Amino acid sequence: MSYLGPDFDPPQPPRSRRRPLLVGLAALVPGALLGWLVYEAVGAPGGTGGPGRAATVATPTTGSPSARDDGKQPAGSPKPAPRPSSAPSSSAPAATGPLKGKVVVIDPGHNPGNFQHTAAINRQVDIGTNSKECDTTGTSTNSGYTEARFTLDVARRLRTLLQQQGATVRLTQDGDRPYGPCVDERARIGNTAGADAVVSIHADGSAQGNRGFHVILPAAVHAGAADTRAIVGPSRDLGERIAGNFVRVTGSAPSNYLGDGTGIVTRKDLGGLNLSTVPKVFIECGNMRDSKDEALLTSGAWRQKAAQGISEGIVSFLRG
């Protein structure tokens, strides 16, 4: 684009010395100045100026991903460096709403940076019943869309929906740390927050032909630092409500390979559940390795439905 400015003005032809023209221009200047002052006082059409204030140009801001966003960056666009952090991402609650005063922790499974920190995520942590890896890289679709990207996208959408209901929402990670957190820290974040509900978001990596979602509940565990006995009942209630709303909103069927068609599975080998002292469930939203489920999981519109289904399950649980 060419630019004309103080240093780039093209040569001008010699000015005429005719006095009538100068007199005419002199007469026009006060009128133009008056018009400019009126324009500034009332604001430009479509601008944000008001009486006594010049119009301003709004600066666009980056919002949450749209329903069609697939999470991909344009080729060649710079990627922000992750910021190490041990504190969960938090948000102020909305002024009003049915969930005002409630705290929800969303746990996006894995972390996009785990691939670059395998030594750190492979270290063992105590989960009460045994020791387990700090975290894992998660799975991916056959086309390379990672579980970590999927979970973070759904978590952010879910956060927005819950904020609109008045909840205070915290994420265990928001792409703001290089890896992790470890599974024991993920549980600790929910416990420390005194969360009314915690949901850990995942997608499975099973065989082709295995389809559908399932919700994982904590088993009754009492060993070492793990004691889930007080949360088994409320966690089941939370999980069943999420499962029912997930079916209704997304149209996805419960898993055809786990849970005997109920979409509900109980496990005692997950540190994030074993170490929780507040109601908590995992949801595996689909199988990334099945081509039909992959088409859903890689769709921004479907991920919005997934977030909506989970949100409505949480709202139902917290409202009783």
Side-chain angles (χ1 to χ4, degrees):
M1 178 183 293
S2 62
Y3 174 77
L4 296 181
D7 299 323
F8 296 88
D9 289 334
Q12 301 294 322
R15 296 182 179 178
S16 169
R17 296 181 179 275
R18 289 178 294 179
R19 293 184 61 82
L21 177 59
L22 293 175
V23 172
L25 288 173
L28 289 174
V29 168
L33 180 59
L34 178 60
W36 180 82
L37 290 172
V38 173
Y39 179 87
E40 288 294 294
V42 301
T48 57
R53 182 180 61 187
T56 58
V57 179
T59 302
T61 57
T62 302
S64 59
S66 68
R68 296 179 61 84
D69 176 27
D70 65 358
K72 294 181 180 178
Q73 289 187 319
S77 62
K79 295 183 179 179
R83 303 184 306 276
S85 172
S86 60
S89 173
S90 63
S91 65
T96 59
L99 299 188
K100 183 177 181 180
K102 300 293 186 181
V103 176
V104 178
V105 171
I106 306 170
D107 179 27
H110 313 290
N111 184 313
N114 280 359
F115 289 96
Q116 284 79 43
H117 299 274
T118 53
I121 66 171
N122 284 337
R123 77 177 173 83
Q124 299 288 300
V125 297
D126 181 11
I127 66 168
T129 54
N130 58 287
S131 294
K132 202 165 186 178
E133 296 88 349
C134 156
D135 202 3
T136 65
T137 59
T139 187
S140 67
T141 66
N142 293 323
S143 60
Y145 180 63
T146 65
E147 180 184 1
R149 288 173 59 195
F150 169 81
T151 64
L152 194 53
D153 182 73
V154 173
R156 288 167 173 167
R157 296 171 188 266
L158 177 56
R159 173 175 58 191
T160 298
L161 293 169
L162 291 171
Q163 286 174 337
Q164 292 169 351
Q165 295 290 317
T168 297
V169 183
R170 295 182 177 139
L171 269 61
T172 58
Q173 58 93 8
D174 193 9
D176 52 0
R177 54 188 296 158
Y179 65 89
C182 294
V183 293
D184 55 343
E185 184 183 352
R186 290 174 186 267
R188 190 160 55 249
I189 290 170
N191 298 343
T192 302
D196 298 286
V198 183
V199 177
S200 189
I201 300 171
H202 291 264
D204 209 0
S206 189
Q208 170 70 31
N210 290 344
R211 295 198 61 196
F213 77 93
H214 62 279
V215 178
I216 305 173
L217 312 179
V221 173
H222 186 209
D227 187 355
T228 63
R229 292 173 295 176
I231 68 165
V232 167
S235 295
R236 173 168 287 276
D237 186 19
L238 171 63
E240 289 177 346
R241 289 175 188 263
I242 289 176
N245 282 279
F246 199 84
V247 169
R248 180 178 57 80
V249 176
T250 67
S252 294
S255 170
N256 64 4
Y257 61 101
L258 289 171
D260 297 323
T262 66
I264 300 293
V265 176
T266 300
R267 291 176 59 173
K268 61 180 180 180
D269 63 328
L270 298 176
L273 294 181
N274 284 6
L275 300 175
S276 182
T277 59
V278 294
K280 182 174 182 177
V281 300
F282 280 42
I283 180 167
E284 300 278 0
C285 296
N287 177 19
M288 301 196 96
R289 293 295 185 172
D290 175 79
S291 57
K292 292 181 179 179
D293 271 8
E294 176 183 0
L296 300 177
L297 298 167
T298 55
S299 162
W302 188 88
R303 292 197 299 273
Q304 186 67 28
K305 290 181 181 180
Q308 184 71 43
I310 297 168
S311 171
E312 293 188 13
I314 294 171
V315 172
S316 173
F317 170 73
L318 294 180
R319 298 188 69 183

Short mmCIF file of all heavy atoms in Angstrom, two decimals, residues 260-292:
data_model
loop_
_atom_site.label_atom_id
_atom_site.label_comp_id
_atom_site.label_asym_id
_atom_site.label_seq_id
_atom_site.Cartn_x
_atom_site.Cartn_y
_atom_site.Cartn_z
N ASP A 260 -21.31 -51.36 29.88
CA ASP A 260 -22.51 -52.17 29.60
C ASP A 260 -23.67 -51.32 29.08
O ASP A 260 -24.83 -51.52 29.44
CB ASP A 260 -22.95 -52.93 30.86
CG ASP A 260 -21.91 -53.93 31.34
OD1 ASP A 260 -21.26 -54.55 30.47
OD2 ASP A 260 -21.73 -54.07 32.56
N GLY A 261 -23.33 -50.34 28.25
CA GLY A 261 -24.37 -49.53 27.64
C GLY A 261 -24.91 -48.40 28.51
O GLY A 261 -25.76 -47.63 28.07
N THR A 262 -24.40 -48.27 29.73
CA THR A 262 -24.91 -47.23 30.64
C THR A 262 -24.14 -45.92 30.50
O THR A 262 -24.63 -44.87 30.91
CB THR A 262 -24.80 -47.69 32.10
OG1 THR A 262 -23.41 -47.83 32.45
CG2 THR A 262 -25.51 -49.01 32.32
N GLY A 263 -22.91 -46.00 29.97
CA GLY A 263 -22.05 -44.82 29.91
C GLY A 263 -21.42 -44.49 31.25
O GLY A 263 -20.80 -43.44 31.40
N ILE A 264 -21.55 -45.40 32.22
CA ILE A 264 -21.01 -45.18 33.57
C ILE A 264 -20.00 -46.27 33.90
O ILE A 264 -20.28 -47.47 33.77
CB ILE A 264 -22.14 -45.19 34.63
CG1 ILE A 264 -23.17 -44.09 34.34
CG2 ILE A 264 -21.56 -45.04 36.02
CD1 ILE A 264 -22.65 -42.68 34.50
N VAL A 265 -18.81 -45.85 34.32
CA VAL A 265 -17.73 -46.77 34.68
C VAL A 265 -17.15 -46.33 36.03
O VAL A 265 -17.00 -45.13 36.28
CB VAL A 265 -16.62 -46.76 33.61
CG1 VAL A 265 -15.45 -47.64 34.03
CG2 VAL A 265 -17.17 -47.20 32.26
N THR A 266 -16.83 -47.29 36.89
CA THR A 266 -16.23 -46.99 38.20
C THR A 266 -14.80 -47.51 38.21
O THR A 266 -14.54 -48.66 37.81
CB THR A 266 -17.04 -47.64 39.33
OG1 THR A 266 -18.37 -47.13 39.30
CG2 THR A 266 -16.43 -47.32 40.68
N ARG A 267 -13.86 -46.65 38.66
CA ARG A 267 -12.46 -47.05 38.70
C ARG A 267 -11.80 -46.60 40.00
O ARG A 267 -12.21 -45.59 40.58
CB ARG A 267 -11.70 -46.47 37.50
CG ARG A 267 -12.11 -47.11 36.18
CD ARG A 267 -11.44 -46.46 34.98
NE ARG A 267 -9.99 -46.53 35.03
CZ ARG A 267 -9.21 -46.13 34.01
NH1 ARG A 267 -9.76 -45.65 32.90
NH2 ARG A 267 -7.90 -46.21 34.12
N LYS A 268 -10.76 -47.37 40.40
CA LYS A 268 -10.01 -47.01 41.60
C LYS A 268 -8.52 -46.82 41.32
O LYS A 268 -7.71 -46.79 42.25
CB LYS A 268 -10.19 -48.09 42.67
CG LYS A 268 -9.68 -49.47 42.26
CD LYS A 268 -9.91 -50.45 43.41
CE LYS A 268 -9.39 -51.84 43.03
NZ LYS A 268 -9.60 -52.82 44.14
N ASP A 269 -8.16 -46.67 40.05
CA ASP A 269 -6.75 -46.56 39.68
C ASP A 269 -6.41 -45.18 39.12
O ASP A 269 -5.34 -44.99 38.53
CB ASP A 269 -6.39 -47.62 38.64
CG ASP A 269 -7.17 -47.45 37.34
OD1 ASP A 269 -8.33 -46.98 37.39
OD2 ASP A 269 -6.63 -47.77 36.26
N LEU A 270 -7.28 -44.20 39.31
CA LEU A 270 -7.02 -42.86 38.79
C LEU A 270 -6.73 -41.91 39.95
O LEU A 270 -7.58 -41.67 40.81
CB LEU A 270 -8.23 -42.35 37.98
CG LEU A 270 -8.58 -43.17 36.74
CD1 LEU A 270 -9.85 -42.62 36.08
CD2 LEU A 270 -7.42 -43.18 35.74
N GLY A 271 -5.51 -41.36 39.96
CA GLY A 271 -5.11 -40.50 41.07
C GLY A 271 -5.99 -39.27 41.23
O GLY A 271 -6.24 -38.82 42.34
N GLY A 272 -6.45 -38.72 40.11
CA GLY A 272 -7.29 -37.54 40.18
C GLY A 272 -8.59 -37.78 40.92
O GLY A 272 -9.16 -36.86 41.52
N LEU A 273 -9.08 -39.03 40.89
CA LEU A 273 -10.29 -39.40 41.64
C LEU A 273 -9.94 -39.88 43.04
O LEU A 273 -10.58 -39.49 44.02
CB LEU A 273 -11.06 -40.49 40.89
CG LEU A 273 -11.68 -40.11 39.54
CD1 LEU A 273 -12.42 -41.30 38.95
CD2 LEU A 273 -12.62 -38.92 39.67
N ASN A 274 -8.94 -40.74 43.15
CA ASN A 274 -8.58 -41.31 44.46
C ASN A 274 -8.26 -40.25 45.49
O ASN A 274 -8.60 -40.40 46.67
CB ASN A 274 -7.36 -42.23 44.32
CG ASN A 274 -7.70 -43.56 43.70
OD1 ASN A 274 -8.82 -43.79 43.27
ND2 ASN A 274 -6.70 -44.45 43.63
N LEU A 275 -7.60 -39.17 45.06
CA LEU A 275 -7.13 -38.16 46.00
C LEU A 275 -8.11 -37.01 46.17
O LEU A 275 -7.82 -36.07 46.92
CB LEU A 275 -5.77 -37.63 45.55
CG LEU A 275 -4.65 -38.68 45.46
CD1 LEU A 275 -3.39 -38.07 44.88
CD2 LEU A 275 -4.37 -39.31 46.82
N SER A 276 -9.24 -37.08 45.52
CA SER A 276 -10.22 -36.00 45.64
C SER A 276 -11.02 -36.13 46.93
O SER A 276 -11.39 -37.23 47.35
CB SER A 276 -11.18 -36.01 44.45
OG SER A 276 -12.10 -34.94 44.53
N THR A 277 -11.29 -35.01 47.56
CA THR A 277 -12.15 -34.99 48.74
C THR A 277 -13.46 -34.25 48.45
O THR A 277 -14.25 -34.01 49.36
CB THR A 277 -11.43 -34.30 49.92
OG1 THR A 277 -11.08 -32.96 49.55
CG2 THR A 277 -10.18 -35.06 50.32
N VAL A 278 -13.66 -33.89 47.19
CA VAL A 278 -14.89 -33.22 46.75
C VAL A 278 -15.48 -34.01 45.60
O VAL A 278 -14.77 -34.78 44.94
CB VAL A 278 -14.60 -31.76 46.33
CG1 VAL A 278 -14.16 -30.92 47.52
CG2 VAL A 278 -13.57 -31.70 45.22
N PRO A 279 -16.78 -33.87 45.32
CA PRO A 279 -17.40 -34.65 44.23
C PRO A 279 -16.68 -34.42 42.90
O PRO A 279 -16.49 -33.28 42.46
CB PRO A 279 -18.83 -34.10 44.19
CG PRO A 279 -19.08 -33.59 45.56
CD PRO A 279 -17.77 -33.03 46.03
N LYS A 280 -16.28 -35.52 42.28
CA LYS A 280 -15.48 -35.40 41.05
C LYS A 280 -15.74 -36.59 40.14
O LYS A 280 -15.89 -37.72 40.60
CB LYS A 280 -13.99 -35.32 41.39
CG LYS A 280 -13.09 -35.16 40.17
CD LYS A 280 -11.63 -34.94 40.56
CE LYS A 280 -10.75 -34.73 39.33
NZ LYS A 280 -9.34 -34.45 39.68
N VAL A 281 -15.76 -36.32 38.82
CA VAL A 281 -15.88 -37.37 37.82
C VAL A 281 -14.97 -37.04 36.64
O VAL A 281 -14.55 -35.90 36.46
CB VAL A 281 -17.34 -37.53 37.32
CG1 VAL A 281 -18.27 -37.89 38.47
CG2 VAL A 281 -17.82 -36.28 36.60
N PHE A 282 -14.68 -38.06 35.86
CA PHE A 282 -14.02 -37.91 34.56
C PHE A 282 -15.08 -38.13 33.49
O PHE A 282 -16.00 -38.92 33.68
CB PHE A 282 -12.93 -38.97 34.35
CG PHE A 282 -11.62 -38.70 35.03
CD1 PHE A 282 -11.55 -38.21 36.33
CD2 PHE A 282 -10.43 -38.99 34.38
CE1 PHE A 282 -10.33 -38.00 36.96
CE2 PHE A 282 -9.20 -38.79 35.00
CZ PHE A 282 -9.15 -38.29 36.29
N ILE A 283 -14.93 -37.47 32.33
CA ILE A 283 -15.74 -37.83 31.18
C ILE A 283 -14.82 -38.03 29.98
O ILE A 283 -14.00 -37.18 29.66
CB ILE A 283 -16.83 -36.79 30.87
CG1 ILE A 283 -17.64 -37.23 29.64
CG2 ILE A 283 -16.26 -35.38 30.69
CD1 ILE A 283 -18.92 -36.47 29.40
N GLU A 284 -14.93 -39.22 29.39
CA GLU A 284 -14.27 -39.52 28.13
C GLU A 284 -15.31 -39.23 27.04
O GLU A 284 -16.27 -39.98 26.86
CB GLU A 284 -13.83 -40.99 28.09
CG GLU A 284 -12.84 -41.40 29.17
CD GLU A 284 -11.40 -41.04 28.84
OE1 GLU A 284 -11.15 -40.48 27.75
OE2 GLU A 284 -10.51 -41.34 29.67
N CYS A 285 -15.12 -38.13 26.32
CA CYS A 285 -16.18 -37.62 25.45
C CYS A 285 -16.37 -38.43 24.18
O CYS A 285 -17.39 -38.27 23.48
CB CYS A 285 -15.88 -36.17 25.08
SG CYS A 285 -15.90 -35.04 26.48
N GLY A 286 -15.45 -39.29 23.85
CA GLY A 286 -15.55 -40.13 22.65
C GLY A 286 -14.21 -40.81 22.43
O GLY A 286 -13.26 -40.62 23.19
N ASN A 287 -14.14 -41.61 21.37
CA ASN A 287 -12.92 -42.34 21.04
C ASN A 287 -12.22 -41.67 19.86
O ASN A 287 -12.71 -41.70 18.74
CB ASN A 287 -13.26 -43.80 20.70
CG ASN A 287 -12.03 -44.59 20.28
OD1 ASN A 287 -10.89 -44.20 20.56
ND2 ASN A 287 -12.25 -45.70 19.59
N MET A 288 -11.07 -41.09 20.11
CA MET A 288 -10.35 -40.35 19.09
C MET A 288 -9.83 -41.24 17.97
O MET A 288 -9.53 -40.76 16.87
CB MET A 288 -9.17 -39.57 19.69
CG MET A 288 -9.58 -38.58 20.75
SD MET A 288 -8.29 -37.36 21.14
CE MET A 288 -8.81 -35.99 20.09
N ARG A 289 -9.74 -42.55 18.21
CA ARG A 289 -9.19 -43.46 17.22
C ARG A 289 -10.27 -44.08 16.31
O ARG A 289 -9.94 -44.83 15.39
CB ARG A 289 -8.42 -44.59 17.92
CG ARG A 289 -7.16 -44.12 18.62
CD ARG A 289 -6.13 -43.59 17.65
NE ARG A 289 -4.87 -43.26 18.28
CZ ARG A 289 -3.77 -42.93 17.63
NH1 ARG A 289 -3.78 -42.88 16.32
NH2 ARG A 289 -2.67 -42.61 18.28
N ASP A 290 -11.52 -43.76 16.57
CA ASP A 290 -12.59 -44.22 15.70
C ASP A 290 -12.93 -43.11 14.72
O ASP A 290 -13.10 -41.95 15.12
CB ASP A 290 -13.83 -44.60 16.52
CG ASP A 290 -15.00 -44.97 15.63
OD1 ASP A 290 -15.02 -46.11 15.14
OD2 ASP A 290 -15.88 -44.11 15.42
N SER A 291 -13.04 -43.42 13.43
CA SER A 291 -13.21 -42.38 12.42
C SER A 291 -14.52 -41.60 12.59
O SER A 291 -14.56 -40.39 12.36
CB SER A 291 -13.15 -42.99 11.02
OG SER A 291 -14.13 -44.01 10.86
N LYS A 292 -15.57 -42.27 13.02
CA LYS A 292 -16.85 -41.58 13.20
C LYS A 292 -16.82 -40.67 14.42
O LYS A 292 -17.30 -39.53 14.38
CB LYS A 292 -17.99 -42.59 13.31
CG LYS A 292 -18.25 -43.33 12.02
CD LYS A 292 -19.40 -44.32 12.15
CE LYS A 292 -19.66 -45.04 10.84
NZ LYS A 292 -20.77 -46.03 10.96
#
